[in-house]
Amino acid sequence: MIDEASANRHDRALAVVQRLLVERGIRAHRHHTISLGFADRTDAPTWPGLSAPRSWTERHPPELVVIDSQGRRVATVTIGPRSGCYLVSVRDGPHLQAFRQEQPQNAVHLIIATRRVPACPLPAMEEGVC
């Protein structure tokens, strides 16, 4: 779980990689996951005079998902919680690859090099061809 400020920093860093991918005709979108919950009324301490259950919210780190023309996940990009590096996981790849945040193009090159993501011109992508 991360705080709101960290989630926003990670999202901005992932937006850079997403823009570079889109410029090359590769589809990618960012996922944000937030967990919401309520404590059980019988177990939860309540404030005096209030009978409502207590609630909690947890924010998970955002991720950038790269998809192929059939909509299958090809790669996932996240941000390292301590290092701030781009962490790239390619489907059927050997292991997680890390790239410094100052070099987002390296993460893009790895994704393109997998050859599982055909790059197509943007007009074709808009027509639903890619």
Side-chain angles (χ1 to χ4, degrees), residues 25-107:
I26 297 172
R27 295 189 296 178
H29 53 275
R30 293 187 308 255
H31 283 199
H32 296 265
T33 304
I34 300 173
S35 299
L36 305 172
F38 291 98
D40 187 359
R41 286 181 172 216
T42 59
D43 299 286
T46 59
W47 293 97
L50 297 178
S51 61
R54 295 184 63 143
S55 64
W56 51 265
T57 304
E58 292 178 340
R59 182 178 270 288
H60 299 268
E63 62 182 17
L64 178 67
V65 177
V66 181
I67 55 175
D68 65 11
S69 58
Q70 283 78 38
R72 294 178 302 222
R73 185 182 292 225
V74 174
T76 304
V77 183
T78 58
I79 303 296
R82 293 186 185 146
S83 65
C85 290
Y86 291 106
L87 303 176
V88 182
S89 172
V90 178
R91 184 179 65 196
D92 302 328
H95 50 74
L96 198 61
Q97 297 283 325
F99 300 98
R100 292 183 8 196
Q101 201 169 28
E102 300 82 31
Q103 299 171 330
Q105 68 279 4
N106 291 346

